[in-house]
Amino acid sequence: MRLSVFLLFAYSLFAPLLFAADPSSLTAAPGHVTAAAIIHEMNLARQNPALYAAFAEQTHQNYSSGVCLLPGNVRLRTREGVRALDDAIQFLRRAKPQPPLALSPGLCLAAADHCREQVGGAIGHYGSRSGDPGNRISRYGVVSQGWAENIAYGRHTAREIVLALIVDDGVRGRGHRKNIFNPTYNVAGAAYGPHARFGSVCSIDFASGYAENRFVRAGSDAQNSF
C-alpha cells in the first residue's frame, strides 16, 4: 500500500506574517464552519474549476505591494505577492473537472482530533498525543492506496480556507493545491476550530479509499466544528 502525505505549510497561512489595525482580530473566536461546508467548497472547485477561477479573480483587488487584505482588516504579508494568485487562476482555467469527494465521517474524526490538539497554539502535522496523520486516520478506519493532509490557519470561512490552499503562496510544488485536485482521492474529512495563535485551524484529510470502523458508521454527525 502506497501512502503519501504532503508535510507542507502554506507560508501565507502563518500568523507571524499577519498584522492588523485591531490585534484582537487575529485571535477572535472563529465562526461555525462545518466539515460538510469545507468538503462542499472543495467539490465546487474540483467540479467547476472555471467558476473557482472567477472567485479567485475577485480577490485580485485585495493585493498591493506583496500584501493581501483579508476580511476583518487583516493584512497578510505574502511570500510571492499576486504571482501566486495569478498562478492559481491560470491553473483553475486549465484544470479539467474532477469527480466530487465523498464526505467521510471517520476522516472528519481524525481531522477533529488534530484540531482539538492544536487549540492551545501548536502547529504542524504531528500531534504530541495523536501522532502523525496516518495514525489519526487509522484510528477510525482502514485506508486503501494513498492519503494526504492539508492544514490552514487564520481563515474563517470555507471559501477562504479552500482559496488559500489553492493559491498555496510560498509552497514549492503547490502541494496543498495538488491534494485538493488529486483525481486519485475519492473521500475526505475536515474539521475546524479555534487556535490560540492564529485564531482558527482547519485540518483536512484525504484518501483514495477508506473503510470506516463499525462504531464510526453507527453514528458520527461529521460536523466537527468546535
Side-chain angles (χ1 to χ4, degrees):
M1 180 172 61
R2 177 176 175 269
L3 299 180
S4 64
V5 60
F6 286 94
L7 299 179
L8 299 171
F9 291 92
Y11 195 90
S12 64
L13 302 184
F14 283 142
L17 301 176
L18 298 174
F19 54 96
D22 178 9
S24 65
S25 64
L26 296 180
T27 56
H32 188 72
V33 180
T34 65
I38 296 165
I39 304 303
H40 170 79
E41 199 67 28
M42 290 195 298
N43 282 337
L44 186 59
R46 282 171 64 102
Q47 294 181 280
N48 197 339
L51 176 63
Y52 230 78
F55 294 157
E57 287 174 336
Q58 292 171 6
T59 69
H60 216 283
Q61 62 186 0
N62 299 335
Y63 285 77
S64 177
S65 301
V67 173
C68 178
L69 181 64
L70 300 177
N73 201 31
V74 175
R75 291 169 173 80
L76 173 69
R77 193 178 300 281
T78 67
R79 189 83 175 267
E80 300 176 64
V82 75
R83 187 175 71 84
L85 174 64
D86 288 338
D87 178 73
I89 292 169
Q90 291 178 13
F91 168 85
L92 290 164
R93 286 173 176 167
R94 296 192 304 264
K96 296 180 179 179
Q98 300 289 348
L101 298 161
L103 188 151
S104 162
L107 291 177
C108 287
L109 291 171
D113 283 350
H114 197 45
C115 286
R116 191 174 293 109
E117 193 167 1
Q118 294 201 337
V119 167
I123 62 171
H125 290 273
Y126 185 84
S128 60
R129 295 188 299 274
S130 61
D132 64 27
N135 290 335
R136 292 189 292 273
I137 291 170
S138 298
R139 185 178 301 158
Y140 299 104
V142 178
V143 175
S144 59
Q145 297 183 21
W147 55 264
E149 180 174 85
N150 284 354
I151 304 176
Y153 298 93
R155 308 295 171 140
H156 300 298
T157 69
R159 183 154 299 168
E160 287 178 22
I161 291 165
V162 175
L163 273 173
L165 292 168
I166 291 174
V167 172
D168 227 3
D169 176 72
V171 176
R172 183 176 299 177
R174 311 296 189 204
H176 298 98
R177 181 194 301 171
K178 287 179 179 178
N179 284 343
I180 291 173
F181 289 94
N182 190 328
T184 69
Y185 295 143
N186 300 304
V187 295
Y192 177 87
H195 192 275
R197 293 172 62 188
F198 303 155
S200 68
V201 55
C202 173
S203 181
I204 306 170
D205 290 325
F206 304 84
S208 298
Y210 192 66
E212 275 95 359
N213 295 335
R214 281 183 292 178
F215 80 90
V216 174
R217 294 198 299 269
S220 171
D221 62 9
Q223 292 302 303
N224 294 314
S225 177
F226 49 88

